[in-house]
Amino acid sequence: MFEGEIELLTVQDIKSVEIAIFCHIEVEEEFFQRLQRNMAAAGPGPLSSSIDIPGEPSKTSTSLLETGTGLIQGFTPINKIHQHLCAFHFYAYDLTRQVEAHHYCTHYNEDLRQCLIYDTPEKDARLIGIEYIVSEKLFMQLPDEEKQLWHSHEYEVKSGVLFLPGIPASVQHQDLAKVCKTYGKTFHFWQFDKGDRLPLGAPQLMMALTADGQLNEELAANVQARFNYSYEEERENRKSMTGPDNGIHPLANSWIRGKGLKTELRETDCFPK
C-alpha cells in the first residue's frame, strides 16, 4: 500500500464493530490497528474543545467506538437539517445579556421549522438551546397566554442582523422573505455568557432584537468581521421585505412592555401520589 493511502473498511469490518458494540465481544486487534491507521491517514478528527468544559479528554477507545457506531447507525433527524442561520438572542428579562446564536434548522413543513442552537459554528460548539419557528397563520391560532413566549423576526431580517453564512444574498432573500413574517419560541439551556461550564439551572426563555440601538456593538462588529458581512449593506438590500400581514402581534415580544419572563422552579405535588 502506498504511503498515506487510506485502507477501505469492508462490510465484514463494519460487522465486526457492530458485534463488538452490541454484543460486547472482543474485536480482533488487527481491525482496530487498521482503523487507527485509517483515522491517522484521513487527518485529524473533531478538535478537542478549547472551551473550559470539565471532563477528561476522549480516549482512543472512545473515538474508535464512536467511529464504529457512526458507520452503523443512521442519523435521520439530524440529516434533515438543511440551513444555518446566524443571529442574536437575549434573555427575556435582560436585554444586556446578548449571545451569538447559530441555528441549524429543519423545515417540518411550510409553517413550522425546528432549530438546534449552538454558540458557534465550530467543531467544539456548545449546544445551548432550541427554537421553534412558526408562520403567522399558526401563531395567530395560539392561546393569548402562549403568544407572550414568542418573538417576531421582522426587525432581525430587515436590519440584516439575521443571515445565512456563506450563502449569496439573492438566495438568502428567497427564504428570509418568509422568515420575516414568522415568530419564534426559544429556550436556552446553557448560560455560558455568565461563565457556566455546564448547562446549569432551569432553561430560560430568550427574545430577539426589535429595533436599532439594541444590539451590543462589540458583538455586532465581531460577527461582521468573522463572516466578512455587512449588516448595513444587507439592510439596504432587504428594504422591500415585509413583516407579518397583520402587523406584529401586540402580545409577542413581551419584554418591550417593561416586564420580563424568567423561568424559576418550584416544588409541586407528584402524581400519582
mmCIF file of all heavy atoms in Angstrom, residues 56-97:
data_model
loop_
_atom_site.group_PDB
_atom_site.id
_atom_site.type_symbol
_atom_site.label_atom_id
_atom_site.label_comp_id
_atom_site.label_asym_id
_atom_site.label_seq_id
_atom_site.Cartn_x
_atom_site.Cartn_y
_atom_site.Cartn_z
ATOM 1 N N GLU A 56 -12.535 14.589 31.374
ATOM 2 C CA GLU A 56 -11.295 14.040 30.837
ATOM 3 C C GLU A 56 -11.337 14.038 29.312
ATOM 4 O O GLU A 56 -12.394 13.859 28.717
ATOM 5 C CB GLU A 56 -11.098 12.609 31.343
ATOM 6 C CG GLU A 56 -10.883 12.492 32.843
ATOM 7 C CD GLU A 56 -9.577 13.148 33.274
ATOM 8 O OE1 GLU A 56 -8.592 13.070 32.506
ATOM 9 O OE2 GLU A 56 -9.546 13.739 34.373
ATOM 10 N N PRO A 57 -10.184 14.228 28.656
ATOM 11 C CA PRO A 57 -10.139 14.149 27.190
ATOM 12 C C PRO A 57 -10.611 12.782 26.706
ATOM 13 O O PRO A 57 -10.457 11.775 27.406
ATOM 14 C CB PRO A 57 -8.650 14.358 26.876
ATOM 15 C CG PRO A 57 -8.093 15.054 28.083
ATOM 16 C CD PRO A 57 -8.877 14.536 29.255
ATOM 17 N N SER A 58 -11.214 12.746 25.524
ATOM 18 C CA SER A 58 -11.707 11.483 24.974
ATOM 19 C C SER A 58 -10.553 10.513 24.772
ATOM 20 O O SER A 58 -9.481 10.889 24.287
ATOM 21 C CB SER A 58 -12.422 11.728 23.638
ATOM 22 O OG SER A 58 -13.570 12.510 23.829
ATOM 23 N N LYS A 59 -10.771 9.252 25.142
ATOM 24 C CA LYS A 59 -9.767 8.209 24.960
ATOM 25 C C LYS A 59 -9.836 7.667 23.540
ATOM 26 O O LYS A 59 -10.850 7.785 22.850
ATOM 27 C CB LYS A 59 -10.003 7.081 25.961
ATOM 28 C CG LYS A 59 -9.878 7.519 27.421
ATOM 29 C CD LYS A 59 -10.146 6.358 28.361
ATOM 30 C CE LYS A 59 -10.014 6.784 29.824
ATOM 31 N NZ LYS A 59 -10.300 5.668 30.753
ATOM 32 N N THR A 60 -8.749 7.024 23.119
ATOM 33 C CA THR A 60 -8.711 6.425 21.785
ATOM 34 C C THR A 60 -9.809 5.384 21.639
ATOM 35 O O THR A 60 -10.471 5.297 20.595
ATOM 36 C CB THR A 60 -7.341 5.772 21.532
ATOM 37 O OG1 THR A 60 -6.323 6.775 21.636
ATOM 38 C CG2 THR A 60 -7.284 5.140 20.148
ATOM 39 N N SER A 61 -10.033 4.592 22.693
ATOM 40 C CA SER A 61 -11.078 3.556 22.630
ATOM 41 C C SER A 61 -12.451 4.171 22.418
ATOM 42 O O SER A 61 -13.289 3.629 21.685
ATOM 43 C CB SER A 61 -11.063 2.714 23.909
ATOM 44 O OG SER A 61 -11.277 3.547 25.049
ATOM 45 N N THR A 62 -12.701 5.342 23.031
ATOM 46 C CA THR A 62 -13.979 6.024 22.854
ATOM 47 C C THR A 62 -14.126 6.498 21.415
ATOM 48 O O THR A 62 -15.179 6.349 20.798
ATOM 49 C CB THR A 62 -14.091 7.225 23.808
ATOM 50 O OG1 THR A 62 -13.980 6.773 25.157
ATOM 51 C CG2 THR A 62 -15.423 7.943 23.632
ATOM 52 N N SER A 63 -13.043 7.066 20.878
ATOM 53 C CA SER A 63 -13.073 7.537 19.489
ATOM 54 C C SER A 63 -13.321 6.391 18.519
ATOM 55 O O SER A 63 -14.041 6.539 17.526
ATOM 56 C CB SER A 63 -11.758 8.242 19.145
ATOM 57 O OG SER A 63 -11.581 9.382 19.953
ATOM 58 N N LEU A 64 -12.722 5.242 18.802
ATOM 59 C CA LEU A 64 -12.922 4.080 17.938
ATOM 60 C C LEU A 64 -14.371 3.614 17.965
ATOM 61 O O LEU A 64 -14.969 3.299 16.932
ATOM 62 C CB LEU A 64 -11.988 2.948 18.365
ATOM 63 C CG LEU A 64 -10.501 3.167 18.082
ATOM 64 C CD1 LEU A 64 -9.664 2.092 18.769
ATOM 65 C CD2 LEU A 64 -10.248 3.161 16.586
ATOM 66 N N LEU A 65 -14.933 3.584 19.157
ATOM 67 C CA LEU A 65 -16.336 3.177 19.275
ATOM 68 C C LEU A 65 -17.251 4.169 18.566
ATOM 69 O O LEU A 65 -18.214 3.795 17.909
ATOM 70 C CB LEU A 65 -16.727 3.060 20.749
ATOM 71 C CG LEU A 65 -16.153 1.856 21.498
ATOM 72 C CD1 LEU A 65 -16.489 1.935 22.971
ATOM 73 C CD2 LEU A 65 -16.673 0.547 20.912
ATOM 74 N N GLU A 66 -16.947 5.466 18.702
ATOM 75 C CA GLU A 66 -17.750 6.483 18.028
ATOM 76 C C GLU A 66 -17.672 6.316 16.513
ATOM 77 O O GLU A 66 -18.669 6.472 15.803
ATOM 78 C CB GLU A 66 -17.272 7.875 18.434
ATOM 79 C CG GLU A 66 -17.595 8.238 19.867
ATOM 80 C CD GLU A 66 -16.982 9.556 20.284
ATOM 81 O OE1 GLU A 66 -16.109 10.068 19.549
ATOM 82 O OE2 GLU A 66 -17.369 10.082 21.348
ATOM 83 N N THR A 67 -16.467 5.999 16.021
ATOM 84 C CA THR A 67 -16.311 5.773 14.582
ATOM 85 C C THR A 67 -17.144 4.583 14.136
ATOM 86 O O THR A 67 -17.804 4.621 13.098
ATOM 87 C CB THR A 67 -14.827 5.534 14.239
ATOM 88 O OG1 THR A 67 -14.076 6.694 14.621
ATOM 89 C CG2 THR A 67 -14.643 5.300 12.746
ATOM 90 N N GLY A 68 -17.115 3.518 14.937
ATOM 91 C CA GLY A 68 -17.887 2.332 14.595
ATOM 92 C C GLY A 68 -19.381 2.568 14.573
ATOM 93 O O GLY A 68 -20.074 2.212 13.616
ATOM 94 N N THR A 69 -19.895 3.215 15.628
ATOM 95 C CA THR A 69 -21.336 3.479 15.667
ATOM 96 C C THR A 69 -21.741 4.454 14.573
ATOM 97 O O THR A 69 -22.829 4.366 14.012
ATOM 98 C CB THR A 69 -21.760 4.045 17.037
ATOM 99 O OG1 THR A 69 -20.974 5.199 17.342
ATOM 100 C CG2 THR A 69 -21.571 3.008 18.138
ATOM 101 N N GLY A 70 -20.836 5.375 14.246
ATOM 102 C CA GLY A 70 -21.122 6.324 13.170
ATOM 103 C C GLY A 70 -21.266 5.647 11.823
ATOM 104 O O GLY A 70 -22.004 6.123 10.948
ATOM 105 N N LEU A 71 -20.542 4.546 11.627
ATOM 106 C CA LEU A 71 -20.649 3.797 10.381
ATOM 107 C C LEU A 71 -21.923 2.975 10.313
ATOM 108 O O LEU A 71 -22.476 2.744 9.233
ATOM 109 C CB LEU A 71 -19.439 2.858 10.235
ATOM 110 C CG LEU A 71 -18.083 3.518 9.968
ATOM 111 C CD1 LEU A 71 -16.970 2.493 10.112
ATOM 112 C CD2 LEU A 71 -18.068 4.122 8.562
ATOM 113 N N ILE A 72 -22.406 2.539 11.473
ATOM 114 C CA ILE A 72 -23.511 1.587 11.504
ATOM 115 C C ILE A 72 -24.873 2.263 11.625
ATOM 116 O O ILE A 72 -25.835 1.896 10.949
ATOM 117 C CB ILE A 72 -23.317 0.611 12.689
ATOM 118 C CG1 ILE A 72 -22.053 -0.224 12.456
ATOM 119 C CG2 ILE A 72 -24.541 -0.289 12.860
ATOM 120 C CD1 ILE A 72 -21.575 -0.944 13.689
ATOM 121 N N GLN A 73 -24.960 3.262 12.496
ATOM 122 C CA GLN A 73 -26.259 3.854 12.793
ATOM 123 C C GLN A 73 -26.645 4.950 11.800
ATOM 124 O O GLN A 73 -25.800 5.529 11.132
ATOM 125 C CB GLN A 73 -26.261 4.429 14.211
ATOM 126 C CG GLN A 73 -26.134 3.378 15.291
ATOM 127 C CD GLN A 73 -26.238 3.983 16.669
ATOM 128 O OE1 GLN A 73 -25.487 4.887 17.025
ATOM 129 N NE2 GLN A 73 -27.176 3.489 17.454
ATOM 130 N N GLY A 74 -27.946 5.197 11.732
ATOM 131 C CA GLY A 74 -28.449 6.298 10.923
ATOM 132 C C GLY A 74 -28.742 7.503 11.802
ATOM 133 O O GLY A 74 -29.002 7.361 12.989
ATOM 134 N N PHE A 75 -28.700 8.702 11.236
ATOM 135 C CA PHE A 75 -28.970 9.935 11.971
ATOM 136 C C PHE A 75 -30.014 10.742 11.211
ATOM 137 O O PHE A 75 -29.805 11.913 10.893
ATOM 138 C CB PHE A 75 -27.671 10.718 12.165
ATOM 139 C CG PHE A 75 -26.607 9.938 12.887
ATOM 140 C CD1 PHE A 75 -25.643 9.243 12.176
ATOM 141 C CD2 PHE A 75 -26.603 9.859 14.268
ATOM 142 C CE1 PHE A 75 -24.671 8.500 12.834
ATOM 143 C CE2 PHE A 75 -25.634 9.116 14.934
ATOM 144 C CZ PHE A 75 -24.662 8.432 14.217
ATOM 145 N N THR A 76 -31.123 10.106 10.937
ATOM 146 C CA THR A 76 -32.137 10.690 10.063
ATOM 147 C C THR A 76 -32.615 12.067 10.512
ATOM 148 O O THR A 76 -32.645 12.999 9.701
ATOM 149 C CB THR A 76 -33.327 9.733 9.908
ATOM 150 O OG1 THR A 76 -32.841 8.487 9.377
ATOM 151 C CG2 THR A 76 -34.357 10.311 8.947
ATOM 152 N N PRO A 77 -33.006 12.259 11.776
ATOM 153 C CA PRO A 77 -33.470 13.606 12.164
ATOM 154 C C PRO A 77 -32.398 14.682 11.978
ATOM 155 O O PRO A 77 -32.690 15.780 11.506
ATOM 156 C CB PRO A 77 -33.834 13.439 13.649
ATOM 157 C CG PRO A 77 -34.122 11.986 13.803
ATOM 158 C CD PRO A 77 -33.145 11.301 12.890
ATOM 159 N N ILE A 78 -31.149 14.358 12.331
ATOM 160 C CA ILE A 78 -30.058 15.319 12.184
ATOM 161 C C ILE A 78 -29.779 15.596 10.716
ATOM 162 O O ILE A 78 -29.503 16.735 10.314
ATOM 163 C CB ILE A 78 -28.783 14.811 12.876
ATOM 164 C CG1 ILE A 78 -29.042 14.548 14.357
ATOM 165 C CG2 ILE A 78 -27.649 15.803 12.704
ATOM 166 C CD1 ILE A 78 -29.498 15.753 15.135
ATOM 167 N N ASN A 79 -29.857 14.560 9.902
ATOM 168 C CA ASN A 79 -29.583 14.725 8.473
ATOM 169 C C ASN A 79 -30.637 15.572 7.765
ATOM 170 O O ASN A 79 -30.422 16.017 6.630
ATOM 171 C CB ASN A 79 -29.475 13.361 7.786
ATOM 172 C CG ASN A 79 -28.240 12.597 8.218
ATOM 173 O OD1 ASN A 79 -27.263 13.185 8.673
ATOM 174 N ND2 ASN A 79 -28.276 11.281 8.096
ATOM 175 N N LYS A 80 -31.765 15.816 8.406
ATOM 176 C CA LYS A 80 -32.807 16.674 7.832
ATOM 177 C C LYS A 80 -32.475 18.157 7.986
ATOM 178 O O LYS A 80 -33.111 19.003 7.372
ATOM 179 C CB LYS A 80 -34.158 16.378 8.491
ATOM 180 C CG LYS A 80 -34.725 15.009 8.159
ATOM 181 C CD LYS A 80 -35.231 14.939 6.727
ATOM 182 C CE LYS A 80 -36.500 15.734 6.535
ATOM 183 N NZ LYS A 80 -37.016 15.639 5.165
ATOM 184 N N ILE A 81 -31.488 18.470 8.821
ATOM 185 C CA ILE A 81 -31.059 19.865 8.956
ATOM 186 C C ILE A 81 -30.483 20.325 7.624
ATOM 187 O O ILE A 81 -29.634 19.659 7.035
ATOM 188 C CB ILE A 81 -30.007 20.012 10.070
ATOM 189 C CG1 ILE A 81 -30.659 19.770 11.444
ATOM 190 C CG2 ILE A 81 -29.354 21.394 10.032
ATOM 191 C CD1 ILE A 81 -29.686 19.747 12.597
ATOM 192 N N HIS A 82 -30.954 21.470 7.140
ATOM 193 C CA HIS A 82 -30.556 21.917 5.813
ATOM 194 C C HIS A 82 -30.160 23.388 5.768
ATOM 195 O O HIS A 82 -29.836 23.905 4.706
ATOM 196 C CB HIS A 82 -31.721 21.715 4.833
ATOM 197 C CG HIS A 82 -32.850 22.659 5.087
ATOM 198 N ND1 HIS A 82 -33.713 22.493 6.134
ATOM 199 C CD2 HIS A 82 -33.201 23.809 4.479
ATOM 200 C CE1 HIS A 82 -34.570 23.494 6.137
ATOM 201 N NE2 HIS A 82 -34.282 24.312 5.154
ATOM 202 N N GLN A 83 -30.185 24.061 6.931
ATOM 203 C CA GLN A 83 -29.989 25.503 6.890
ATOM 204 C C GLN A 83 -29.297 26.002 8.152
ATOM 205 O O GLN A 83 -29.590 25.539 9.257
ATOM 206 C CB GLN A 83 -31.351 26.196 6.746
ATOM 207 C CG GLN A 83 -31.298 27.675 6.483
ATOM 208 C CD GLN A 83 -32.707 28.226 6.282
ATOM 209 O OE1 GLN A 83 -33.486 28.302 7.222
ATOM 210 N NE2 GLN A 83 -33.023 28.585 5.056
ATOM 211 N N HIS A 84 -28.377 26.947 7.979
ATOM 212 C CA HIS A 84 -27.655 27.563 9.088
ATOM 213 C C HIS A 84 -27.967 29.060 9.104
ATOM 214 O O HIS A 84 -27.660 29.775 8.152
ATOM 215 C CB HIS A 84 -26.145 27.321 8.902
ATOM 216 C CG HIS A 84 -25.280 28.097 9.850
ATOM 217 N ND1 HIS A 84 -23.952 28.383 9.570
ATOM 218 C CD2 HIS A 84 -25.530 28.653 11.061
ATOM 219 C CE1 HIS A 84 -23.436 29.074 10.565
ATOM 220 N NE2 HIS A 84 -24.364 29.259 11.484
ATOM 221 N N LEU A 85 -28.581 29.519 10.177
ATOM 222 C CA LEU A 85 -28.902 30.927 10.367
ATOM 223 C C LEU A 85 -28.067 31.473 11.514
ATOM 224 O O LEU A 85 -27.924 30.826 12.550
ATOM 225 C CB LEU A 85 -30.386 31.112 10.711
ATOM 226 C CG LEU A 85 -31.427 30.657 9.697
ATOM 227 C CD1 LEU A 85 -32.809 30.696 10.319
ATOM 228 C CD2 LEU A 85 -31.386 31.540 8.457
ATOM 229 N N CYS A 86 -27.543 32.668 11.343
ATOM 230 C CA CYS A 86 -26.805 33.333 12.416
ATOM 231 C C CYS A 86 -27.580 34.566 12.863
ATOM 232 O O CYS A 86 -28.025 35.362 12.025
ATOM 233 C CB CYS A 86 -25.414 33.732 11.938
ATOM 234 S SG CYS A 86 -24.437 34.611 13.184
ATOM 235 N N ALA A 87 -27.742 34.717 14.173
ATOM 236 C CA ALA A 87 -28.452 35.880 14.727
ATOM 237 C C ALA A 87 -28.014 36.055 16.179
ATOM 238 O O ALA A 87 -26.979 35.524 16.592
ATOM 239 C CB ALA A 87 -29.963 35.704 14.611
ATOM 240 N N PHE A 88 -28.795 36.789 16.948
ATOM 241 C CA PHE A 88 -28.505 37.003 18.361
ATOM 242 C C PHE A 88 -29.770 36.774 19.175
ATOM 243 O O PHE A 88 -30.880 37.055 18.706
ATOM 244 C CB PHE A 88 -27.998 38.428 18.612
ATOM 245 C CG PHE A 88 -26.739 38.765 17.877
ATOM 246 C CD1 PHE A 88 -26.793 39.374 16.634
ATOM 247 C CD2 PHE A 88 -25.505 38.463 18.421
ATOM 248 C CE1 PHE A 88 -25.632 39.687 15.945
ATOM 249 C CE2 PHE A 88 -24.331 38.767 17.742
ATOM 250 C CZ PHE A 88 -24.398 39.369 16.496
ATOM 251 N N HIS A 89 -29.595 36.283 20.385
ATOM 252 C CA HIS A 89 -30.694 36.167 21.345
ATOM 253 C C HIS A 89 -30.307 36.896 22.625
ATOM 254 O O HIS A 89 -29.119 37.066 22.915
ATOM 255 C CB HIS A 89 -30.973 34.697 21.692
ATOM 256 C CG HIS A 89 -31.556 33.911 20.567
ATOM 257 N ND1 HIS A 89 -31.388 32.546 20.445
ATOM 258 C CD2 HIS A 89 -32.310 34.286 19.498
ATOM 259 C CE1 HIS A 89 -32.014 32.119 19.359
ATOM 260 N NE2 HIS A 89 -32.585 33.154 18.773
ATOM 261 N N PHE A 90 -31.302 37.292 23.392
ATOM 262 C CA PHE A 90 -31.038 37.827 24.729
ATOM 263 C C PHE A 90 -32.086 37.269 25.678
ATOM 264 O O PHE A 90 -33.172 36.842 25.274
ATOM 265 C CB PHE A 90 -31.033 39.365 24.740
ATOM 266 C CG PHE A 90 -32.338 40.008 24.359
ATOM 267 C CD1 PHE A 90 -33.306 40.273 25.318
ATOM 268 C CD2 PHE A 90 -32.601 40.372 23.043
ATOM 269 C CE1 PHE A 90 -34.510 40.874 24.974
ATOM 270 C CE2 PHE A 90 -33.790 40.973 22.688
ATOM 271 C CZ PHE A 90 -34.755 41.219 23.657
ATOM 272 N N TYR A 91 -31.723 37.247 26.967
ATOM 273 C CA TYR A 91 -32.620 36.692 27.978
ATOM 274 C C TYR A 91 -33.884 37.549 28.080
ATOM 275 O O TYR A 91 -33.811 38.779 28.054
ATOM 276 C CB TYR A 91 -31.902 36.592 29.317
ATOM 277 C CG TYR A 91 -30.808 35.537 29.279
ATOM 278 C CD1 TYR A 91 -29.552 35.842 28.739
ATOM 279 C CD2 TYR A 91 -31.035 34.240 29.720
ATOM 280 C CE1 TYR A 91 -28.562 34.873 28.663
ATOM 281 C CE2 TYR A 91 -30.047 33.269 29.649
ATOM 282 C CZ TYR A 91 -28.811 33.590 29.109
ATOM 283 O OH TYR A 91 -27.842 32.633 29.012
ATOM 284 N N ALA A 92 -35.015 36.902 28.197
ATOM 285 C CA ALA A 92 -36.302 37.586 28.133
ATOM 286 C C ALA A 92 -36.513 38.573 29.278
ATOM 287 O O ALA A 92 -37.476 39.332 29.255
ATOM 288 C CB ALA A 92 -37.444 36.557 28.120
ATOM 289 N N TYR A 93 -35.589 38.584 30.224
ATOM 290 C CA TYR A 93 -35.681 39.528 31.339
ATOM 291 C C TYR A 93 -34.461 40.458 31.399
ATOM 292 O O TYR A 93 -34.351 41.271 32.321
ATOM 293 C CB TYR A 93 -35.805 38.775 32.675
ATOM 294 C CG TYR A 93 -34.685 37.794 32.934
ATOM 295 C CD1 TYR A 93 -33.516 38.188 33.574
ATOM 296 C CD2 TYR A 93 -34.787 36.468 32.526
ATOM 297 C CE1 TYR A 93 -32.485 37.302 33.800
ATOM 298 C CE2 TYR A 93 -33.760 35.568 32.744
ATOM 299 C CZ TYR A 93 -32.611 35.992 33.384
ATOM 300 O OH TYR A 93 -31.585 35.098 33.599
ATOM 301 N N ASP A 94 -33.537 40.351 30.409
ATOM 302 C CA ASP A 94 -32.327 41.164 30.481
ATOM 303 C C ASP A 94 -31.750 41.401 29.079
ATOM 304 O O ASP A 94 -31.030 40.558 28.540
ATOM 305 C CB ASP A 94 -31.282 40.475 31.366
ATOM 306 C CG ASP A 94 -30.079 41.364 31.676
ATOM 307 O OD1 ASP A 94 -29.936 42.420 31.027
ATOM 308 O OD2 ASP A 94 -29.285 40.999 32.564
ATOM 309 N N LEU A 95 -32.045 42.548 28.506
ATOM 310 C CA LEU A 95 -31.573 42.899 27.160
ATOM 311 C C LEU A 95 -30.054 42.963 27.084
ATOM 312 O O LEU A 95 -29.470 42.777 26.010
ATOM 313 C CB LEU A 95 -32.180 44.239 26.738
ATOM 314 C CG LEU A 95 -31.727 44.836 25.405
ATOM 315 C CD1 LEU A 95 -32.074 43.914 24.245
ATOM 316 C CD2 LEU A 95 -32.360 46.220 25.199
ATOM 317 N N THR A 96 -29.386 43.225 28.210
ATOM 318 C CA THR A 96 -27.931 43.379 28.190
ATOM 319 C C THR A 96 -27.204 42.046 28.053
ATOM 320 O O THR A 96 -26.019 42.020 27.711
ATOM 321 C CB THR A 96 -27.426 44.083 29.465
ATOM 322 O OG1 THR A 96 -27.636 43.233 30.606
ATOM 323 C CG2 THR A 96 -28.163 45.391 29.668
ATOM 324 N N ARG A 97 -27.879 40.951 28.307
ATOM 325 C CA ARG A 97 -27.245 39.626 28.196
ATOM 326 C C ARG A 97 -27.550 39.042 26.809
ATOM 327 O O ARG A 97 -28.468 38.259 26.634
ATOM 328 C CB ARG A 97 -27.718 38.697 29.307
ATOM 329 C CG ARG A 97 -27.194 39.064 30.681
ATOM 330 C CD ARG A 97 -27.618 38.056 31.722
ATOM 331 N NE ARG A 97 -27.111 36.722 31.418
ATOM 332 C CZ ARG A 97 -27.506 35.620 32.045
ATOM 333 N NH1 ARG A 97 -28.442 35.700 32.989
ATOM 334 N NH2 ARG A 97 -27.000 34.452 31.716
#
